[in-house]
Amino acid sequence: MTHRIVCAGDQFISAELLARSVEAALDGDVTPVLVGSAWPTEPFGEIDGVREAAGDPSELAAAVEGAAAVITHLAPITAQVLAAGKGSLQVVGVTRGGPVNVDLAAATAAGIPVAYLPGRNLNAVAEFCVGTMICAMRGLPAAAARLASGTWDATGFKYERTGLELAAATVGLVGLGAVGARVAQLLGAFGSRVLAHDPYLADAPPGVTLVDLPELLAGSDVVSLHARLTPETRHLIDKAALATMRPGAVLINTARGELVDRAALDAALESGSLRAAVLDVFDPEPPDPTDPLPRRPEVLATPHLAGASRQVAEQSAARIAAEVAAVLTGGRPTHCANPDALDPQ
């Protein structure tokens, strides 16, 4: 049986890559329909009730008619798109850790499971964290900014301006899920002392000490955020939390911008109580052009790139293709965002 599968790609995970992956997973029994978007050249946004989506839902709905599956990264899988697949669409596969670009209520009502990939970019994010820890602790963003402005600043060799090596550092991880656990594993190879705070864990992996948040903040040279955003964790790192941190500590946020009170962080950096910050996420995102944080020389600011690697694109395409193939051949997805679509009772 040949399966008609819509492969809705973008400039990170292309439609062609998705098509090759699903053809391999189904031994070539595929008629791929390629649909593309211009993300990230053009931003994603909210479209017809779904978030962080890129593409034209009307174009996608036309392509989905008669299709057995849709595989995508960011395409808007709206109620309109799902209705266009009525009678044929058996599964939606999303190459993301959270399928916010899918109308899950509409998919569940239609009995269409949504497969997704939690932890899909954990290694890329973990490597980014460790690499930027080294940069921030050693003062490299500020030193690079001074050199780019034409100043050769040899005073970076003054003892009081030098930073710690990871082997001598205590690193505190706020959240010890898939990414946090991988960061801890990498830090173990450097010889770091690793603290973690995660209220959902009873036991820590080897080499990690679980502590409460105040103890972690007070005892860490680097604090790296890996918590989910919830009403309880919004502005988890506020003025009071920043005041608890060690003088000269470094803050790294690759999780969600809303975890940090940006005004309080700006004040902590201005006062010199923090040495540096690494910010890959912002609140709002993108940040306002007048936001002073990204322009600070002691801040290494990147536009939500921690999870961007070739391996993430290639492995995500292969993994979601396998999930979709499992459903189309009578199996179940490993991770289903709407399990009620599989077991309506």
Side-chain angles (χ1 to χ4, degrees):
M1 177 181 179
T2 299
H3 302 281
R4 175 183 167 90
I5 298 181
V6 176
C7 302
D10 49 54
Q11 294 178 359
F12 177 47
I13 303 179
S14 69
E16 291 79 9
L17 175 57
L18 293 170
R20 290 195 302 271
S21 298
V22 78
E23 285 170 347
L26 285 165
D27 296 324
D29 294 332
V30 173
T31 299
V33 179
L34 307 187
V35 179
S37 81
W39 185 87
T41 302
E42 296 177 3
F44 59 44
E46 185 169 330
I47 302 175
D48 295 347
V50 300
R51 298 188 293 114
E52 297 181 11
D56 181 351
S58 296
E59 178 188 7
L60 192 59
V64 164
E65 292 182 9
V70 179
I71 302 181
T72 189
H73 178 214
L74 295 174
I77 311 300
T78 63
Q80 173 194 5
V81 171
L82 293 163
K86 185 177 180 179
S88 65
L89 195 59
Q90 300 175 49
V91 61
V92 171
V94 181
T95 61
R96 305 180 70 179
V100 295
N101 53 311
V102 180
D103 188 328
L104 289 178
T108 303
I112 301 169
V114 178
Y116 70 114
L117 302 177
R120 59 123 184 195
N121 59 7
L122 69 90
N123 196 66
V125 176
E127 287 190 1
F128 178 97
C129 287
V130 173
T132 56
M133 281 179 196
I134 295 170
C135 290
M137 285 196 300
R138 302 285 291 278
L140 301 188
R146 286 191 292 271
L147 186 56
S149 71
T151 300
W152 179 271
D153 185 5
T155 62
F157 255 95
K158 286 187 174 181
Y159 178 83
E160 61 273 16
R161 286 185 55 184
T162 57
L164 293 176
E165 300 173 14
L166 273 178
T170 297
V171 180
L173 306 177
V174 181
L176 203 63
V179 174
R182 179 59 175 155
V183 172
Q185 185 180 36
L186 294 177
L187 290 171
F190 284 91
S192 304
R193 177 175 177 244
V194 181
L195 306 178
H197 170 70
D198 192 320
Y200 301 100
L201 287 183
D203 299 300
V208 179
T209 303
L210 284 178
V211 297
D212 62 21
L213 184 59
E215 183 178 349
L216 181 146
L217 295 174
S220 299
D221 301 296
V222 181
V223 174
S224 187
L225 305 182
H226 303 286
R228 290 187 178 277
L229 178 64
T230 67
E232 293 74 28
T233 61
R234 180 178 175 82
H235 286 186
L236 181 69
I237 305 301
D238 58 9
K239 181 179 180 180
L242 289 164
T244 308
M245 291 175 63
R246 282 183 175 179
V250 170
L251 179 70
I252 297 178
N253 189 10
T254 58
R256 285 290 183 267
E258 296 89 337
L259 296 175
V260 179
D261 181 333
R262 68 178 187 273
L265 175 59
D266 186 58
L269 290 164
E270 178 67 25
S271 71
S273 63
L274 290 190
R275 178 181 179 87
V278 175
L279 303 175
D280 188 52
V281 288
F282 298 87
D283 176 26
E285 195 166 293
D288 189 279
T290 63
D291 189 337
L293 278 172
R295 300 198 303 272
R296 284 192 167 278
E298 66 272 30
V299 171
L300 175 54
T302 51
H304 210 139
L305 292 178
S309 75
R310 292 186 179 182
Q311 285 67 38
V312 169
E314 293 163 0
Q315 293 170 13
S316 295
R319 286 178 58 197
I320 205 63
E323 296 288 299
V324 166
V327 175
L328 294 181
T329 54
R332 298 168 68 95
T334 306
H335 300 286
C336 183
N338 57 339
D340 285 349
L342 294 169
D343 301 302
Q345 69 276 19

